[in-house]
Amino acid sequence: MKPNHIAIIMDGNGRWAKNHNESRKFGHKRGAITARDIVRFTGSLGIEFLTLYAFSTENWGRPLKEVNLLMALFIETLDAEIKDLNNNNVKIRFIGDRSNLKKSLINKIDKAELLTKNNQGLNLTVAMAYGGRWDIVNAAKLIQDKIESNELNQVDIDEEQFSSYMQLGLNPDPDLLIRTGGERRISNFLLWNIAYTELYFCDTLWPDFVSDDLELALDFYAQRKRRYGKNV
Ligand code: FPP
């Protein structure tokens, strides 16, 4: 079985750069190239949803110089890739807290979402300034607003309703979560949505992650027996 939704924590750009005696900037640039290649490969496999963790809420705490270069890299990558993504029928969406993002980046994000909104191919979601806990708190606030305006009754809130206020909305939950770079943790990614997701950790640093590495993750996934808490 192939996963319908893959989520990836792209970790290891900094260590890759260090190993190659290069700047962190260069490592992130190589990471962006890997992201582009993995998006293409995932699309070619006919996988429906791919969600990439590009920048976490906690990443705001990195030195300003690195934050700025990452933001510049997101704009640069989006400019360079949007035409190709659109030609390949990719529908791109960004999730996360936009309140601290630069206007110029928000404009690009809005334009990219608008341009690709009717595409029927790969659903690519980029998590930017995203945190799983922020996502849950944000959903709670949205629900509170709906209750206060009498558009929603508390008794009607169930897990599905709640999900519809989360950033991934009613997209299917990830079937497979991949984390590169050797750490075995979730780092505040998609906490609500990964309740039954299969977790795959590999030591490969993100800039070195190629289609063969993704195939290994897919082999791992194919061997899992998913029971969702049931004894079947
Ligand atoms: C983790 O490496 C990576 C990031 C914080 C940024 C992710 C960004 C990219 C892969 C490039 C652009 C992606 C898109 C979608 C345009 P790290 O710096 O934490 O590495 P380290 O743990 O080795 O220091």
Side-chain angles (χ1 to χ4, degrees), residues 65-83:
K65 191 173 158 221
E66 183 167 353
V67 170
N68 285 340
L69 81 81
L70 278 168
M71 293 299 149
L73 180 63
F74 296 145
I75 292 181
E76 205 178 289
T77 308
L78 206 51
D79 277 342
E81 299 301 327
I82 189 61
K83 210 167 145 199

Side-chain angles (χ1 to χ4, degrees), residues 182-202:
E183 307 290 358
R184 272 111 176 110
R185 56 178 174 249
I186 301 300
S187 298
N188 202 15
F189 195 31
L190 303 175
L191 299 177
W192 170 268
N193 313 82
I194 59 168
Y196 283 98
T197 300
E198 301 294 335
L199 307 178
Y200 179 82
F201 299 99
C202 67

